[in-house]
Amino acid sequence: MLIEVKNLCKTYLSGDVETPVLHDLNFTMDKGEFVAIMGPSGSGKSTLMHVLSFMDKPSSGEYIFDGKKVNELTDDELAEMRSKAVGFVFQAFNLLPRTSVMENVMLPLVYTTDKEAVRTKKAKDALVSVGLEHRLNYFTNQLSGGEKQRVAIARALVNNPAVLFADEPTGNLDSKSGLAVMNILQDLNESGHTIILVTHEKYTAEHAKRILRIRDGVVESDEKVENRQIAKGASELVK
């Protein structure tokens, strides 16, 4: 088991005002799963992602990641978990402009002790995994939206994280580029990567193998995807 959540609650404090967001969540996730956390705006899905990815701490309850009790970790230990255990793909790409594809992908490796040759190989391998080895010397402002998101996926993979978090990864893309991104995520999952996808779109969520639906801060349902959407071959459309 990779993730175990027990009676997890999250409440934000602003002065004397308490705003409860997550209420008594209970679920587990195994290594190699592809889970979509789905819910409308304001449902608490982004807050849950922040907790699961060590960007925030639960107010109460327990979060166990790969056998470690996250509640008991120090801020420094949480920062190390963020840098090594998880990778992030965002809706807005979050790439450095006027910087090469290779430099963007190598960013997470800056604070490692790897030699330059090792960092370069890791970045190239990550770009190969998303079909962008032919773009490594391009600047990010020379890429299409779909290509930018694939660079973001490569950057998220470069440290070989335990979990890849994808937060609305197709939100800024046209349907063809969006399918290409989902194709890559499905391929990565088939090769063993654990993926947690956060989305408000049912169609996007159905590319995962399991959907955890959040509404008003509680788990509304947790089910396997019966008629899964397969984006196979879509990446060929945007090369």
Side-chain angles (χ1 to χ4, degrees), residues 54-126:
F54 319 114
M55 296 172 71
D56 206 346
K57 286 185 176 181
S59 302
S60 63
E62 200 167 39
Y63 173 30
I64 301 170
F65 183 89
D66 205 15
K68 296 179 181 178
K69 293 185 177 181
V70 176
N71 311 54
E72 299 175 359
L73 298 179
T74 65
D75 288 344
D76 286 345
E77 288 170 332
L78 283 173
E80 185 174 3
M81 293 281 275
R82 277 195 301 273
S83 66
K84 294 182 178 179
V86 298
F88 296 95
V89 180
F90 299 100
Q91 178 176 341
F93 317 134
N94 291 1
L95 300 178
L96 294 178
R98 298 180 299 280
T99 307
S100 76
V101 166
M102 271 290 287
E103 289 170 319
N104 270 276
V105 174
M106 290 176 73
L107 266 179
L109 302 173
V110 168
Y111 298 108
T112 68
T113 56
D114 293 338
K115 293 182 178 179
E116 181 73 18
V118 174
R119 294 202 299 268
T120 299
K121 185 179 186 308
K122 284 183 176 180
K124 284 182 177 177
D125 288 347

Side-chain angles (χ1 to χ4, degrees), residues 129 153 157 164 184-193 195:
S129 73
I153 293 172
L157 289 172
L164 179 65
I184 288 168
L185 293 179
Q186 287 182 334
D187 285 349
L188 290 170
N189 177 243
E190 291 303 315
S191 67
H193 290 274
I195 297 175

Side-chain angles (χ1 to χ4, degrees), residues 209-227:
K209 295 178 179 176
R210 170 184 166 195
I211 299 177
L212 190 74
R213 285 185 172 84
I214 305 291
R215 184 177 292 274
D216 297 329
V218 300
V219 176
E220 187 177 54
S221 63
D222 183 359
E223 300 172 335
K224 282 184 64 175
V225 178
E226 295 297 333
N227 298 303

